[in-house]
């Protein structure tokens, strides 16, 4: 789902070691190493070129480091990973509280050279190195990276890493469940405000407040504050509309989940019917196009159009959209162990209905991700 | 906000947008450029210019947007996603094409063809957040290597116009009220993130649609950072970079607040940063290079024996633009920016002091003929929560 990107992901920033302990990350490193070895690679260099809060796709970095940040990682076949900061050093004290990685170095403007030094310390002078995130950098930084790794045989590992990340580990399902719990509580707070006579904008604000107090790191909210379309927060008049359509997405420990509100309940529940149709078709190996077509078949023509425009859903995890879209033209199939966020925004002249469902894909079908209440939240 | 003020806002905004477009057309004429594509990325950044936002005053939701500004004829704003059309139509005073992200580039191409501009001389301003894939695609979409036009947009945007200043002043008022709220709300025993959440929502209710905010506390801070669940304790220094945005214009204040009564040592060292800030404000006149102001800020700190702490890793910069139209000025060595009248930026001698830890003291300022004046009407004091 497309949403307004904030300039800084500024909610609670903390490593939840009860949810994602050190041994979880050590296990992930072992999985990545096995794939490196299988491909004949001696090490992996991960770059997330995010500076001053402009957080790009942090998923690869966070998968191994446990923190959502810009920076670089070096993972060799032996020894613990090394993290290299893009900052000038004043951030180090804070970073050390956010990750299980112990070897953290200040890279600053020389971060790529530091990465190469780390490889050299591990006896890898001119090796075959897998890379992740390099193509996402500006052209000038790609040149810097290539220069620092001059003489190495670099091989893009992005696609392999995406495959590793796609199927979720048990603790990732828990983390998504924790985010889902915050999102549902936030949506409930929005609904309560609306039910008590608040405006649609008031409902948005109540939802965001509940999410932030509920320990969210990032919050995205859209609502029908002007007509039946979803909109981001804007400084607009606090008009109350006859219905509330509210979408809340929450990130906790890097993991995303969504929840929605349609109030009052839409006549005929067309979005629910379409969601049920998708659930009935979804299982590991199922064609994504067939799942999408099943939903569209349950909707009237105008509602089909809005459902496709807003999207019927996607894989979710360390990204709000992991890039596998539920669409009738898709040529992909569902992968076992992925988490699917299905979504139907069905609007026509008679009704507007919006529903979502967060599901784990298994060989036998799909099962709902269970919300996980955080202790102390 | 009243309907009347919304209407007057719209007038100011539309006039400013017309002037921005006219000024850019003048620059285009100097190079015989027939149309400009001013691109905007939805990866909104506090430190990255967004040319589409600057020429439309519309904050995009989707990953891509662009203003196609021809020398002759009306501009068009191409946005993503298609379902954000109505919001855009209501807010942007120009023709709108709303499309799915996958159709963005082909829509730019077809709009240029429709206006018979494809064979003409074209320019692109991509801004700092333009994805490499989009930058690489322009030559193919336009059928030519475009003239790059970021500098012209930045040179115009760094001098604030009426709409920019209206939003900036509104954001300054929100930031001040927000800090006052922190003083009233924060208490020993509260987690940092709860204070941050309360401040965030307080400013949102005042109209701030976004916020670059760091809020954290320690008895001896190494730097400011994101809020954690650490509980505020007596004697902690709560650091806050508070940066609400109004219509995409960010405005930052930097504050240090002692939980409990400040010690004489804390007062003394904070006063040093105030002196540095005042020295910088006095020196920052039109025509003065930024490096001179950096030196003016650093001098009293160095004179007090802290010269080594006026450099990284003990600080980052002495100030910077917060506008999404231009990243000038940046107050650090290596930048040759020169102050001009009506530039707006945050000036902040935030840094580590060995006896007290990191302290923040910063104001959003506007360059006038007599130096930099704070848009908050004050120089930050050392706060205290009793």
């Amino acid at each position: 789902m497309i949403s307004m990107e904030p300039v800084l992901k500024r909610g609670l920033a903390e490593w939840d070691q009860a949810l994602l302990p050190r041994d979880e990350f050590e296990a992930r490193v072992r999985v990545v190493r096995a794939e490196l070895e299988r491909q004949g690679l001696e090490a992996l260099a991960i770059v997330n070129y995010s500076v001053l809060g402009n957080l790009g796709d942090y998923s690869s970095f966070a998968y191994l480091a446990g923190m959502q940040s810009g920076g670089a990682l070096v993972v060799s076949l032996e020894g613990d990973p090394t993290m290299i900061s893009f900052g000038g050093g004043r951030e180090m004290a804070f970073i050390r509280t956010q990750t299980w990685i112990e070897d953290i170095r200040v890279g600053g403007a020389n971060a790529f050279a530091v990465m190469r030094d780390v490889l050299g310390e591990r006896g890898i002078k001119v090796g075959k190195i897998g890379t992740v995130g390099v193509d996402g950098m500006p052209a000038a930084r790609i040149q810097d990276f290539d220069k620092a790794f001059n003489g190495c045989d670099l091989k893009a590992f992005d696609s392999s890493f995406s495959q590793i990340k796609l199927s979720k580990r048990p603790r990732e399902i828990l983390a998504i469940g924790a985010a889902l719990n915050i999102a549902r509580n936030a949506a409930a707070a929005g609904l309560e405000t609306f039910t008590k006579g608040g405006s649609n904008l008031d409902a948005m604000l109540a939802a965001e407040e509940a999410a932030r107090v509920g320990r969210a790191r990032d919050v995205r909210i859209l609502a029908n504050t002007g007509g039946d379309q979803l909109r981001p927060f804007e400084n607009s008049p606090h008009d109350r509309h006859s219905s509330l359509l509210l979408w809340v997405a929450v990130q906790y420990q890097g993991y995303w989940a969504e929840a929605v509100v349609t109030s009052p309940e839409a006549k005929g529940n067309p979005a629910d019917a379409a969601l049920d149709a998708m659930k009935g078709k979804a299982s590991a190996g199922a064609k994504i196009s067939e799942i999408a077509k099943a939903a569209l078949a349950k909707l009237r023509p105008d509602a089909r159009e809005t459902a496709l425009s807003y999207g019927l859903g996607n894989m979710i995890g360390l990204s709000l959209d992991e890039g596998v879209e539920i669409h009738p033209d898709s040529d992909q199939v569902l992968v076992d162990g992925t988490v699917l966020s299905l979504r139907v925004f069905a609007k026509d002249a008679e009704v507007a209905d919006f529903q979502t469902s967060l599901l784990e894909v298994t060989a036998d079908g799909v099962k709902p991700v269970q919300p996980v209440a955080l202790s102390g939240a | 906000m009243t309907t009347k003020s919304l209407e007057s806002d719209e007038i100011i905004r539309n006039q400013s947008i017309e002037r921005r477009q006219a000024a850019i057309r003048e620059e285009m004429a100097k190079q015989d450029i027939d149309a400009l594509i001013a691109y905007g990325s939805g990866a909104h950044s506090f430190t990255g210019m967004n040319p589409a936002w600057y020429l439309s005053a519309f904050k995009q939701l989707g990953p891509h947007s662009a203003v196609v500004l021809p020398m002759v004829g009306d501009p068009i704003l191409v946005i993503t996603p298609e379902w954000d059309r109505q919001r855009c139509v209501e807010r942007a005073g120009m023709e709108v094409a709303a499309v799915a992200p996958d159709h963005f580039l082909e829509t730019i191409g077809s709009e240029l063809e429709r206006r018979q501009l494809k064979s003409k001389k074209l320019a692109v301003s991509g801004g700092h957040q333009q994805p490499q894939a989009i930058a690489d695609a322009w030559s193919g979409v336009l059928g030519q290597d475009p003239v790059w036009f970021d500098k012209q947009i930045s040179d115009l945007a760094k001098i604030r116009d009426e709409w920019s200043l209206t939003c900036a002043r509104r954001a300054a008022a929100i930031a001040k009220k927000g800090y006052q709220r922190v003083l009233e709300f924060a208490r020993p025993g509260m987690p940092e993130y709860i204070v941050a959440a309360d401040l965030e929502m307080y400013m949102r209710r005042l109209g701030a649609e976004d916020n670059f905010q760091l809020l954290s506390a320690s008895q001896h801070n190494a730097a400011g950072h994101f809020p954690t669940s650490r509980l505020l304790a007596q004697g902690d220094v709560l650091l806050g970079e508070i940066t609400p945005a109004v219509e995409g214009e960010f405005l930052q204040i930097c504050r240090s607040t002692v939980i409990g009564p400040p010690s004489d040592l804390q007062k003394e060292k904070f006063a040093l940063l105030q002196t540095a800030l005042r020295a910088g404000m006095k020196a920052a006149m039109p025509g003065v290079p930024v490096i001179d102001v950096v030196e003016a800020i650093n001098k009293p700190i160095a004179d007090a024996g802290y010269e080594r702490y006026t450099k990284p890793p003990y600080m980052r910069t002495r100030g910077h633009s917060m506008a999404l139209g231009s990243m000038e000025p940046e107050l650090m060595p290596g930048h040759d920016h020169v102050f001009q009248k009506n530039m707006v930026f945050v000036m902040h001698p935030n840094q580590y002091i060995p006896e007290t830890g990191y302290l923040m003291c910063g104001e959003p300022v506007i360059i006038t003929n007599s130096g930099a004046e704070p848009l908050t009407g004050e120089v930050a004091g050392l706060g205290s929560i009793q």
Side-chain angles (χ1 to χ4, degrees):
Chain A
M1 184 80 165
I2 290 170
S3 59
M4 186 67 84
E5 181 95 18
V7 295
L8 193 69
K9 287 64 185 170
R10 52 191 179 268
L12 172 66
E14 197 153 74
W15 173 24
D16 183 342
Q17 298 189 49
L19 183 68
L20 298 170
R22 180 188 174 98
D23 62 277
E24 166 67 15
F25 294 107
E26 289 172 338
R28 295 182 191 185
V29 170
R30 285 196 294 275
V31 171
V32 170
R33 276 190 179 132
E35 183 60 21
L36 291 173
E37 282 195 284
R38 199 186 68 76
Q39 296 188 24
L41 298 169
E42 293 174 70
L44 179 63
I46 298 177
V47 179
N48 177 12
Y49 195 74
S50 301
V51 288
L52 278 181
N54 166 39
L55 192 55
D57 177 9
Y58 60 77
S59 61
S60 298
F61 188 87
Y63 187 79
L64 293 182
M67 61 182 285
Q68 310 111 60
S69 168
L73 287 177
V74 173
V75 183
S76 53
L77 298 180
E78 300 289 337
D80 284 342
T82 296
M83 184 190 296
I84 295 98
S85 156
F86 287 145
R90 65 178 184 157
E91 71 286 1
M92 295 300 280
F94 179 65
I95 287 178
R96 291 188 198 287
T97 68
Q98 301 286 305
T99 179
W100 69 283
I101 293 175
E102 292 174 358
D103 184 6
I104 308 172
R105 305 187 190 188
V106 177
N110 301 314
F112 304 144
V114 175
M115 292 175 82
R116 184 69 188 271
D117 291 345
V118 169
L119 286 171
E121 290 169 19
R122 295 174 185 211
I124 304 167
K125 303 288 184 191
V126 281
K128 196 172 177 188
I129 313 295
T131 64
V132 169
V134 173
D135 287 344
M137 293 193 291
R141 297 289 83 75
I142 294 174
Q143 287 172 10
D144 292 344
F145 185 89
D146 289 343
K147 190 176 166 189
F149 283 81
N150 184 33
C152 288
D153 182 5
L154 300 178
K155 181 186 175 191
F157 193 72
D158 300 81
S159 176
S160 301
F161 206 176
S162 293
Q163 286 303 310
I164 291 171
K165 289 184 297 182
L166 205 53
S167 294
K168 300 295 178 277
R169 300 169 56 79
R171 286 192 175 275
E172 292 189 283
I173 302 288
L174 279 182
I176 293 169
L180 178 63
N181 193 58
I182 301 170
R184 285 190 178 170
N185 288 342
L191 174 60
E192 184 182 356
T193 296
F194 185 73
T195 304
K196 287 180 176 172
S199 71
N200 297 49
L201 205 65
D202 292 336
M204 284 181 100
L205 293 166
E208 179 169 355
E209 183 157 32
R212 291 189 179 280
V213 169
R215 304 170 83 92
R217 174 67 186 269
D218 194 358
V219 186
R220 312 288 173 88
I221 298 185
L222 301 167
N224 59 333
T225 53
D228 284 336
Q229 317 85 21
L230 298 180
R231 297 181 180 212
F233 174 85
E234 285 180 328
N235 191 19
S236 53
H238 287 222
D239 294 337
R240 179 184 162 87
H241 302 286
S242 58
S243 68
L244 173 67
L245 302 171
L246 179 71
W247 174 83
V248 180
V250 160
Q251 187 249 90
Y252 179 71
Q253 299 294 307
Y255 289 89
W256 285 94
E258 301 175 49
V260 303
V261 168
T262 297
S263 179
E265 192 173 314
K267 187 181 167 191
N269 305 108
D272 269 341
L275 266 185
D276 287 343
M278 288 199 280
K279 289 180 200 172
K281 289 278 183 184
S283 65
K287 287 183 179 176
I288 287 176
S289 58
E290 295 302 316
I291 297 167
K293 286 172 187 168
L296 297 177
K298 294 287 182 184
L299 299 172
R300 291 194 289 253
D302 286 355
R304 270 180 224 152
E305 203 171 296
T306 60
L308 278 175
S309 177
Y310 281 87
L312 291 166
N314 47 259
M315 304 303 160
I316 195 167
L318 279 168
S319 170
L320 187 48
D321 182 349
E322 291 197 322
V324 181
E325 189 189 357
I326 306 301
H327 194 278
D329 296 338
S330 173
D331 59 1
Q332 294 180 281
V333 296
L334 286 186
V335 176
D336 196 12
T338 52
V339 173
L340 194 54
S341 186
L342 295 179
R343 189 184 310 120
V344 178
F345 187 98
K347 176 185 169 295
D348 58 22
E350 293 177 30
V351 70
D353 191 15
F354 188 24
Q355 302 296 336
T356 61
S357 190
L358 199 62
L359 303 158
E360 190 180 349
V361 177
T362 74
D364 301 325
V366 288
K367 58 181 183 183
V369 173
Q370 297 301 318
V372 175
L374 297 166
S375 59
Chain B
M1 190 177 286
T2 64
T3 305
K4 190 176 175 185
S5 68
L6 283 172
E7 285 170 2
S8 65
D9 277 0
E10 199 171 325
I11 291 167
I12 296 169
R13 175 173 149 153
N14 289 343
Q15 285 173 344
S16 291
I17 296 308
E18 280 175 19
R19 287 191 200 113
R20 292 175 189 182
Q21 292 175 356
I24 285 299
R25 279 183 166 133
E26 281 180 24
E27 293 299 318
M28 289 161 61
K30 290 176 188 170
Q31 297 188 51
D32 296 323
I33 290 165
D34 296 293
L36 166 71
I37 295 99
Y39 174 81
S41 164
H44 298 296
S45 170
F46 178 55
T47 54
M49 64 181 279
N50 182 323
W53 167 81
Y54 184 69
L55 286 182
S56 66
F58 176 74
K59 191 172 178 191
Q60 71 195 80
L61 182 71
H64 311 296
S65 76
V67 173
V68 178
L69 180 68
M71 271 303 290
V72 179
D74 293 333
I76 181 169
L77 175 57
V78 180
I79 62 144
T80 57
E82 55 194 321
W83 52 264
D84 201 27
R85 166 191 288 278
Q86 190 57 38
R87 184 176 75 97
C88 187
V89 166
E90 288 169 15
R91 299 182 71 84
M94 63 184 86
E95 186 184 348
V96 171
V99 297
D102 289 349
H103 297 148
F104 171 73
L105 285 171
E106 70 183 63
T107 303
I108 296 290
S110 61
E111 285 299 329
L112 290 169
E113 265 178 19
R114 184 165 71 92
R115 291 153 190 256
Q116 299 175 318
L117 286 165
K118 226 170 174 183
S119 58
K120 303 287 181 66
K121 189 175 179 184
L122 302 172
V124 169
S125 176
H128 295 123
Q129 298 302 108
Q130 179 178 227
Q132 193 59 42
I134 295 291
D136 292 344
W138 287 125
S139 297
V141 172
L142 308 180
Q144 61 184 279
D145 288 334
V147 176
W148 295 104
F149 228 61
D150 274 0
K151 185 178 185 312
Q152 289 81 353
I153 299 263
S154 175
D155 283 349
L156 178 67
K158 68 188 179 187
I159 312 300
R160 304 305 190 91
D161 59 19
E162 190 179 4
W163 177 238
S164 175
L165 284 173
T166 298
C167 297
R169 290 186 195 284
R170 211 167 273 165
I174 292 174
K176 276 184 77 172
K177 287 180 183 171
Y179 179 60
Q180 194 58 39
R181 170 73 177 183
V182 171
L183 295 178
E184 292 162 6
F185 179 79
R187 289 291 175 267
M190 271 185 192
E192 292 167 356
Y193 80 94
I194 293 293
V195 179
D198 182 78
L199 170 59
E200 176 83 30
M201 297 317 302
Y202 182 78
M203 294 199 299
R204 182 90 71 257
R205 289 186 168 96
L206 293 176
E209 84 270 356
D210 201 355
N211 178 19
F212 184 101
Q213 180 173 289
L214 300 175
L215 201 84
S216 58
S218 168
Q219 302 275 318
H220 191 97
N221 289 288
H225 56 72
F226 299 112
T228 71
S229 62
R230 275 173 64 114
L231 305 182
L232 299 184
Q234 195 78 7
D236 275 359
V237 178
L238 177 64
L239 300 177
E241 279 195 11
I242 302 166
T243 324
V246 171
E247 299 278 347
E249 296 282 0
F250 287 84
L251 217 287
Q252 183 170 92
I253 63 171
C254 305
R255 295 291 184 268
S256 301
T257 309
V258 180
I259 311 296
S263 67
D264 289 343
L265 186 69
Q266 286 169 327
K267 287 179 190 168
E268 177 197 328
K269 301 308 174 192
F270 189 83
L272 185 58
L273 299 194
Q274 286 177 310
T275 302
L277 178 55
R278 288 195 177 97
M281 288 164 64
K282 189 176 175 188
M285 295 216 258
V288 174
V290 294
I291 191 64
D292 290 0
V293 174
V294 171
E295 286 172 8
I297 291 171
N298 287 345
K299 188 173 184 309
I301 300 171
D303 288 349
Y306 298 116
E307 184 169 8
R308 67 177 287 217
Y309 297 100
T310 62
K311 302 175 179 67
Y314 304 106
M315 48 73 71
R316 190 186 76 81
T317 177
R318 291 315 191 190
H320 52 82
S321 167
M322 302 153 291
L324 303 187
S326 172
M327 290 304 104
E328 288 191 41
E330 178 74 53
L331 278 68
M332 65 161 65
H335 290 266
D336 59 2
H337 304 156
V338 173
F339 289 111
Q340 291 177 249
K341 190 178 175 184
N342 282 344
M343 275 183 162
V344 170
F345 57 98
V346 62
M347 187 181 285
H348 56 33
N350 302 340
Q351 71 165 76
Y352 182 79
I353 300 279
E355 292 88 343
T356 58
Y358 200 91
L359 293 172
M360 289 184 177
C361 174
E363 295 298 334
V365 297
I366 182 167
I367 297 296
T368 71
N369 289 333
S370 55
E373 291 180 2
L375 288 171
T376 51
E378 65 184 18
V379 169
L382 180 61
S384 171
I385 292 171
Q386 303 289 346

